[in-house]
Amino acid sequence: MGRILRALAGEGNLRVVAADTGDVVEEARLRHGLSPTATAALGRAMTGALLLAQLLLKTPKERLTLRLEGDGPLGGVVVEADPMGGVRGYVKNPKAEVPLREDGKLNVGAAVGQGFLRVDRALPNGEIYTSTVPLVSGEIAEDLAHYLWQSEQIPSALLLGVRVKGEGEVEAAGGIAVQVLPGASEEVLGRLEANLKDFGPLTERLRKEGLEGALAALFQGLGLERTDLRALGYAENEIPARFRCRCNREKALEALVFFTPEEREDMIVKDGGAEVVCHWCGAAYRFSPEEIRSLVAEVRCPDCGALWLYPKADGTLFRIEGDTCRCGRRVELPGERRAEA
């Protein structure tokens, strides 16, 4: 299990969030069967999402989703995190690999490619706040710092790292985010810049000195003070970070309703049932013919077969957004029953 620390430095003018995510990234690697470069890309994105969740989200019900939509061989990276330390994610092409950089390091930027970073913030009322910025380098840390400046007007520095060894297993992973608050003096900023210049690779610090040692080095002379998280219910004064997916068997069965009744019957005839694999975590759910045939109370477009409505197991209804089907036909539901998608 990983961990997240929060602190202030520079006479209270630097807000700091740091995370040790080695175990979290290793679990992601094993779940998805990632190549070394895919491990580094997803690990950086997962760590970055955890840091941004601490900086930007206000309540436990909020979630933050990062989508790195580049033209590189990874095909895109998607990560979701919450302020309670939960994170999940995947890359579209988990086996993708590219040659090392000239300095011998994994070339995450080339694997991600050029494109856009999209950040979705799910608010407690269900609204989604979305920001999109161009990718600066594809190396992820620079891209997230650019997003914070462009979309949030928050001057920040981010360090993210994943170190792999042997057959690709994660040796160290983590990140540090520094947010410059209004009122920071030139002396504080100058000292921070000097420390960043002399800091070296983050994963080397994590491997040799641990997270606390890395923080002590980065904020030398800046009076780092840990935030007391025990008042928030964290007895160890740190937020546990873990790979946590929200999938379950019920949601997996509901996913089959997006296939037509004929397609579901074909699954039964050819395969004796169906298997649904969660793209977030790799969990597989197997369903019997009887379970598949229980999905009968749905409403579809009589013209194109698109799904309009179905009752979920918890008694709520799923309904497509809008009043017009994708084929142009007006959506007509029995008894005008409507529910939010």
Side-chain angles (χ1 to χ4, degrees):
M1 184 170 62
R3 56 201 185 99
I4 302 169
L5 310 180
R6 285 159 45 178
L8 292 174
E11 300 177 346
N13 292 305
L14 300 176
R15 184 183 180 194
V16 182
V17 181
D20 181 338
T21 57
D23 292 344
V24 180
V25 179
E26 174 65 5
E27 181 172 350
R29 181 187 76 88
L30 294 173
R31 282 179 176 273
H32 296 300
L34 301 173
S35 69
T37 303
T39 299
L42 183 58
R44 291 183 192 178
M46 292 173 66
T47 304
L50 286 169
L51 298 179
L52 261 62
Q54 295 298 314
L55 291 175
L56 302 178
L57 304 185
K58 306 302 182 183
T59 71
K61 294 183 178 181
E62 297 180 55
R63 295 191 305 276
L64 180 143
T65 303
L66 304 181
R67 302 177 191 274
L68 289 99
E69 302 171 355
D71 59 5
L74 284 178
V77 183
V78 185
V79 172
E80 180 189 83
D82 62 55
M84 309 298 289
V87 66
R88 60 178 182 169
Y90 64 95
V91 299
K92 294 183 179 179
N93 296 317
K95 298 297 185 182
E97 193 55 277
V98 295
L100 298 175
R101 297 184 338 196
E102 291 184 0
D103 60 5
K105 295 183 178 180
L106 296 171
N107 198 342
V108 172
V112 172
Q114 298 180 345
F116 295 88
L117 166 65
R118 171 179 156 184
V119 181
D120 295 332
R121 292 165 59 184
L123 304 181
N125 61 4
E127 294 183 7
I128 305 294
Y129 177 79
T130 299
S131 296
T132 302
V133 296
L135 289 172
V136 175
S137 66
E139 293 288 337
I140 301 178
E142 297 173 64
D143 302 301
L144 295 182
H146 178 67
Y147 156 76
L148 287 171
W149 175 244
Q150 291 293 317
S151 295
E152 305 292 334
Q153 288 77 54
I154 302 175
S156 307
L158 271 82
L159 302 176
L160 300 172
V162 176
R163 182 187 178 97
V164 300
K165 64 178 181 179
E167 298 300 316
E169 59 267 31
V170 176
E171 184 177 16
I176 301 174
V178 187
Q179 177 184 349
V180 180
L181 301 177
S185 67
E186 292 296 326
E187 180 181 357
V188 166
L189 295 179
R191 184 57 186 262
L192 176 62
E193 290 175 1
N195 289 356
L196 284 167
K197 183 178 179 180
D198 297 335
F199 188 68
L202 173 61
T203 52
E204 277 295 302
R205 293 278 187 178
L206 292 173
R207 188 172 65 88
K208 296 179 179 179
E209 305 169 18
L211 187 59
E212 284 81 359
L215 286 170
L218 184 57
F219 295 97
Q220 183 178 3
L222 289 169
L224 183 74
E225 296 183 4
R226 288 272 301 274
T227 301
D228 190 353
L229 298 173
R230 288 170 293 190
L232 299 177
Y234 299 105
E236 301 298 323
N237 199 25
E238 57 189 30
I239 301 171
R242 57 174 63 88
F243 191 110
R244 181 164 56 215
C245 190
R246 294 185 289 112
C247 75
N248 56 41
R249 187 173 180 81
E250 176 188 324
K251 291 180 180 179
L253 180 60
E254 289 174 357
L256 292 177
V257 80
F258 290 95
F259 293 90
T260 66
E262 292 76 19
E263 289 172 328
R264 296 199 297 265
E265 190 64 29
D266 192 52
M267 296 175 189
I268 294 172
V269 172
K270 291 184 176 180
D271 303 318
E275 184 176 80
V276 176
V277 179
C278 176
H279 58 269
W280 286 103
C281 69
Y285 299 90
R286 182 74 184 177
F287 297 102
S288 67
E290 292 74 22
E291 290 174 302
I292 298 172
R293 286 175 176 145
S294 70
L295 300 171
V296 295
E298 62 194 55
V299 179
R300 292 181 176 272
C301 176
D303 290 342
C304 70
L307 183 67
W308 283 358
L309 180 83
Y310 78 88
K312 300 173 70 173
D314 61 5
T316 61
L317 297 176
F318 169 91
R319 183 191 185 279
I320 66 167
E321 296 181 1
D323 295 322
T324 304
C325 183
R326 65 188 182 191
C327 68
R329 182 186 178 101
R330 180 176 175 79
V331 175
E332 299 174 352
L333 302 175
E336 293 298 317
R337 297 176 66 192
R338 295 174 179 266
E340 294 183 355

